[in-house]
Amino acid sequence: MPSAVQPRTRPLSAKTLGVLAVLGLVVAFSLSSTLVKRAETPGVLVALWRMVAVSLAWNIVLWTTGRRVTMRDVRRVWLPGVFFGLNLAVFFAGATHNSIANAALIGSCAPFLIVPVGAWLFGEYIDPRALAFAALAFGGVALVLFNAPPGGDASLEGNVFGVVAMLLLVAYVASTRYFRRDMDVTTFMATICPIATVAVLPIALAHGGVLSVSANGWKYTLILSLTSGIAAQGLLVYAQRTIQIGTIAISQVAQPALAVLWSYLLLSEVINGRQAVGIAIVMAGLLAFTVLNQRGDRRGRAP
C-alpha cells in the first residue's frame, strides 16, 4: 500500500510573524495602566521593581545561550535604556493619578510624533493628507481630557505625567531603531533593562519607601513584568525587523479602547458619553492615518 502523502506545511513568513508580534504587544501594553492601578502602590516603586525583575529574566535567558552583555553593547544602547526607564517611571506615576481613559488617550498620541520621526531619520513614508486625521484625533483627545466626570480619577498632574511619558516613549522607539541595528532581541533587552533600572533608581530613592511594597503590589509587579516587561517589549523589538516603527505605533489604534475595557472589567471605572465620543474620534483618526500611510508606502515601494 502506498503511504499517504503528508501535506507540506508552509512556515509563517517574517512579515506575518511581525504582524502577530504587533497584535500581541498591543494587548499586553493595553493592560499596563490597569494593572499598575490594581497594585495600589506608588507607580515609581512598581516601575523600579518591575525593571529589576525584567533585567534578571532577560539576562538569565541570555546566559542560557552562553552569551553575556558586553561593554560594547552598553555603549551602543545606553540612550534607549535611559529613555525606556524614565518612560516607564513617569507613565506608572501618571497612571496612579489619572483615569485609564485619559492615560490611554494621551499615550495614543505618540504615533503622530513617531511617524514624522520615522520619516525624518529612516526615510519611512508619510502621507501629507494624513495630517488632517491627526488633527481630528487630537481633537478627540481634547474632548476626552476636558470632559472627565467630576470626582473621578483624572487630574491635571496625571495628564502632565501622561504627556511627558508619551514624549519619552517617542524618544525610546526612535532611539531603539537607530542604535540597535543588528542586535538580537535577547541581547538588546538584557542590555537596556539594567540601564533602565539604574535610570529609575534615583527617582525611587527620592520618593522613599523603596521596600514598602504590599503583597498586592508585589503580585501585580510580577504580572506587569511578565506581560509588558518581557512579552510586549520583546515583541516590540522583534517586530521592528519587518514592520515600520510608524506602523507599529499606529497599529496601537485599539489600545485606548482595550485599556478602557480592562478598566471597566477590573477597576469598575466608567466614562461619560462625551468621553466615549472622544475615544471613537481618536480611534477613527488613527485608523485613517494608518490606512493613508500604508497605501502610500506600498505605492512608493511598487516601482
Side-chain angles (χ1 to χ4, degrees), residues 148-182:
D153 292 338
S155 68
L156 177 60
E157 179 185 7
N159 289 338
V160 171
F161 274 122
V163 171
V164 174
M166 184 265 291
L167 295 175
L168 287 168
L169 175 61
V170 174
Y172 166 64
V173 172
S175 60
T176 294
R177 173 69 184 275
Y178 186 81
F179 290 104
R180 184 174 71 91
R181 298 172 187 170
D182 59 344

Side-chain angles (χ1 to χ4, degrees), residues 126-153:
I126 181 171
D127 192 321
R129 297 173 299 172
L131 297 178
F133 293 102
L136 176 68
F138 276 118
V141 172
L143 190 61
V144 173
L145 298 184
F146 292 114
N147 285 280
D153 292 338

Side-chain angles (χ1 to χ4, degrees), residues 249-274:
I250 300 171
S251 295
Q252 298 182 40
V253 59
Q255 188 171 312
L258 286 174
V260 172
L261 175 62
W262 303 135
S263 71
Y264 171 76
L265 294 175
L266 301 177
L267 299 173
S268 300
E269 286 191 4
V270 296
I271 60 173
N272 57 38
R274 292 181 179 178

